[in-house]
Amino acid sequence: MLEHLCLPVRLRVFDSGVMVLQLTSQNEEELVEHTVKMLEDNSSLTAEELSQHIGLSVVMAKERLLAAEKFGGACRDDCVEGLRFYPNMFLLRSCDDFSD
């Protein structure tokens, strides 16, 4: 419907059911790369922590972390303290690093 109005936004529905209006110029791969970089810089993040770093709502920060996980750039730990995301070290290290 928004395409017919020639607006630079589109309706995006995440796997969780969250719906947002998103600029058509936004590239999901760039958002994931930025999120993974934030994870690497901080060693781990919760949705609350990421939301504070980049100025997004907690819900959107969680969706970005889940997208990073979906693309293989993050791993999560779901424990009693809550959901925490880490950089995917399997992608960051070479096979030789694991042979020691």
Side-chain angles (χ1 to χ4, degrees), residues 22-70:
Q22 185 177 39
L23 291 173
T24 54
S25 61
Q26 274 191 324
N27 182 337
E28 187 170 11
E29 289 179 14
E30 289 175 2
L31 292 175
V32 167
E33 287 175 13
H34 182 257
T35 304
V36 171
K37 174 86 169 88
M38 293 289 297
L39 283 170
E40 291 169 358
D41 291 347
N42 293 281
S43 73
S44 71
L45 289 169
T46 64
E48 293 83 7
E49 292 166 345
L50 180 62
S51 73
Q52 291 173 354
H53 282 293
I54 60 177
L56 278 179
S57 70
V58 175
V59 172
M60 287 305 304
K62 182 178 179 184
E63 292 297 337
R64 283 185 65 167
L65 288 165
L66 290 171
E69 179 189 40
K70 185 176 181 178

Side-chain angles (χ1 to χ4, degrees), residues 4 9 12 19 21 23 25 38-39 47 57 64 82-83 88 90-93 97 99:
H4 300 300
V9 294
R12 173 147 185 219
M19 294 188 282
L21 289 177
L23 291 173
S25 61
M38 293 289 297
L39 283 170
S57 70
R64 283 185 65 167
L83 195 58
N88 186 347
F90 294 106
L91 294 180
L92 300 175
R93 293 188 177 169
D97 293 340
S99 64

